[in-house]
Amino acid sequence: MFGDKPTLDTSRFAITRKLYQAMGLYWHNFVDTSLLAFRALVKNHKPIAHFMSKMFAGLKDSRKVCSHIRQSLALDVDLDLACAKLRSALERAPTSYHTRLKNFVHGVAVATIT
């Protein structure tokens, strides 16, 4: 939570090839809409950080929450560059080895629980 990572390093976006194929012609709309949402989050990062700090006050130090939001939204990076990196990550996700690994691990975990 808020930057604490599991021991297994996996893909940032677990967008499967099946989801990519199901979206078909809408895939590019999904990527574009994701970038618009990212820009909206960056634009509104201050009230989001304030709300999240209050929401998780009993679990995490507010500095840790704000630091995670700053890092997740790449607030120290030029917005156009951050969007270009995000676009690249989204477009690579369906064919990524890390996506397949994440989905495999999830499948094993779900099978173990049920």
Side-chain angles (χ1 to χ4, degrees):
M1 180 174 10
F2 299 110
D4 297 337
K5 302 221 181 219
T7 56
L8 180 65
D9 188 22
T10 57
S11 178
R12 190 170 176 196
F13 299 104
I15 300 169
T16 65
R17 183 173 271 299
K18 286 183 181 181
L19 177 60
Y20 169 77
Q21 290 169 341
M23 286 187 180
L25 297 174
Y26 297 104
W27 171 251
H28 296 293
N29 290 342
F30 168 75
V31 172
D32 291 342
T33 302
S34 296
L35 292 169
L36 288 173
F38 177 76
R39 285 180 179 274
L41 289 169
V42 168
K43 180 179 178 184
N44 295 290
H45 75 275
K46 287 180 182 178
I48 292 169
H50 179 74
F51 173 76
M52 296 301 287
S53 294
K54 299 296 183 202
M55 183 79 160
F56 292 97
L59 299 173
K60 289 286 182 183
D61 178 70
S62 65
R63 290 172 296 189
K64 173 88 170 171
V65 173
C66 291
S67 174
H68 178 70
I69 290 170
R70 177 164 223 78
Q71 182 180 10
S72 297
L73 296 177
L75 296 177
D76 296 323
V77 177
D78 175 72
L79 182 57
D80 290 332
L81 177 60
C83 286
K85 287 182 177 185
L86 178 58
R87 177 180 293 280
S88 178
L90 286 168
E91 289 174 345
R92 284 191 324 262
T95 59
S96 166
Y97 165 77
H98 291 291
T99 297
R100 292 192 306 271
L101 177 62
K102 183 180 251 184
N103 290 323
F104 172 78
V105 169
H106 176 74
V108 169
V110 169
T112 304
I113 292 171
T114 55

